[in-house]
Amino acid sequence: MAFPKEFIWGASTAAFQIEGAKQEDGKGLSVWDVFCEKEGAVLNGDTGETACDHYHRMEEDTGIMEQLGLQAYRFSVSWPSIFPEGAGKPNQKGVDFYDRLVDSLLTKGIEPYMTMFHWDYPYELYLKGGWLNPDSPKWFGEYAAFLTEHFSDRVKNYFTLNEPQCFIMLGHYDGVNAPGVKLSKRDIFRAIHHSLMAHGEGMKAIRANAKQPVKAGYAPCLSAVYPRTETPEEIEVARREMFCLNREKIEASFSRLFDLNSWWMDPVYLGRYPEDAFTYFQEYLDFVKPEDLKLIAQPVDFFGLNIYSGAEIYHQDGKAVYSPKKTGRPQTYIGWDVEPKCLYWAPRFFYERYHKPIIITENGLANQDWVMADGKVHDPQRIDFLTKYLKEYERAIQDGVEAAGYFTWSLMDNFEWAFGYSQRFGLTYVDYETQKRTVKDSGYWYRKVIETNGACLG
Ligand code: IFM
């Protein structure tokens, strides 16, 4: 069996996607609260106002985690719930909620993994310029210091930022996520740089305030490709496509900066931006200082990776060519291709480049689930998807990738950002009218995977 003995099995969620309780108990507004009010911004005008009502049903939900046999739970803290104005005086009732959550997890033997920021940026800070403000890294550092100071007697694992590619590119360039703006390229580079510096400030704050040995890292998403054949040439071409600037792609659409993994990761793990892209974009980058890169490259303990899909490539004259996507191929309900091999190649390429133990912090699928006539939710596609992906992860581990854990997305169906409630990613079905939870077949199946440390995957 490849999964190591101390391997951690868990599930993830994010505050805005499940909590609800908009502005209750002194919580401030986030950019997502405001974005949801914009006409046409979110499918069907859905909002996070109630979401899964987790804020009021937290005990029931940790009970479900116990029922699923989760060893760990990765949740995010709502920044505006702790600091309604983004900074300054903390909101005691907001802190109390996470105290109750952490205590409830620990009582049930579930290890809390805390993500400090998962997209619900405090609206008050956004009004001060948000990620464009040079003070924004410091704001995050202060918030991270508070969280560590307060929770590290009980919480031993932290992630600073979740998926900067999404909250910067989708939120500030494409404008399809909150805050829904379209900045210039120069400003995008500044916003990215500040968010990377915020990660660095966060790591420093965690190290400085931890009350016991803790582990911490970063949780970006990634764009994965994998080689059609596993010849050395094709593997090398795939590796280059994962980390090197593809000029044709970026010239066709600057949005594809999203896919340039090295831009979002090299500064954190290697202390520099990738040279090819830095030279190419240098007209926008005069503000980058060597000391910023030192700050960004704080030592981290593990590498969180959110991974869902990818693309097959082959090589022609040494260049990567994307295999044509065939009609009728397996796709999830949200339209992402089912590409299990990504969970072999991405961990392998990232481990080879950055040498950090991998934790898959998100992986899962949106499915068209409903409660069936027998009162259960049968979701064989999810079981099949997760089985195939996990077996590829296992193969990566067999081939030498150091892996510390796996968190599926998600514990329960939830608010899928601009897609509203149309996409169900959960192991647990949520009826949004009644808030009734029904554990899906995949939830019971995952319990077995955990119990056998993956051996039942075959
Ligand atoms: O729901 C999101 C999550 O918030 C961030 N990663 C991808 C998930 C599915 O789209």
Side-chain angles (χ1 to χ4, degrees), residues 17 118-119 162-163 306 308 336 362 409 416-417 425:
Q17 295 180 270
H118 193 130
W119 307 8
N162 189 72
E163 299 183 344
N306 294 355
Y308 291 86
W336 299 345
E362 291 184 22
W409 183 270
E416 179 55 23
W417 309 112
F425 276 91

Side-chain angles (χ1 to χ4, degrees), residues 104 109 152 212 247 299 322 329 373 384 388 443:
S104 172
S152 65
Q212 58 172 320
R247 283 178 185 233
Y322 284 74
R329 65 191 177 274
D384 185 64
K388 287 177 175 155

Side-chain angles (χ1 to χ4, degrees), residues 284-303:
Y284 305 115
L285 298 168
D286 45 5
F287 58 86
V288 174
K289 299 197 281 295
E291 59 267 32
D292 299 348
L293 287 154
K294 267 209 187 117
L295 167 67
I296 295 169
Q298 300 299 310
V300 297
D301 301 301
F302 39 55
F303 188 172

Side-chain angles (χ1 to χ4, degrees), residues 23-40:
Q23 284 187 294
E24 214 173 297
D25 285 345
K27 189 179 197 170
L29 286 175
S30 79
V31 291
W32 269 96
D33 288 306
V34 177
F35 186 69
C36 289
E37 300 299 321
K38 271 197 208 166
E39 216 184 306

Side-chain angles (χ1 to χ4, degrees), residues 60 106 162 165 193 198 212 214 253 324 374 376 393 401 446:
E60 180 185 352
L106 292 173
N162 189 72
Q165 294 98 321
H193 192 62
Q212 58 172 320
V214 300
S253 165
D374 60 1
K376 298 184 176 156
Y393 191 27
V401 170
Y446 192 49

Side-chain angles (χ1 to χ4, degrees), residues 115-156:
T115 303
M116 293 178 160
F117 176 63
H118 193 130
W119 307 8
D120 43 358
Y121 197 76
Y123 187 62
E124 290 299 323
L125 294 184
Y126 171 67
L127 294 179
K128 294 185 176 153
W131 291 114
L132 287 178
N133 191 315
D135 284 338
S136 55
K138 198 181 76 188
W139 296 334
F140 181 75
E142 286 164 9
Y143 165 60
F146 177 84
L147 292 184
T148 317
E149 226 286 305
H150 187 82
F151 291 103
S152 65
D153 56 335
R154 290 155 294 156
V155 177
K156 292 186 277 192

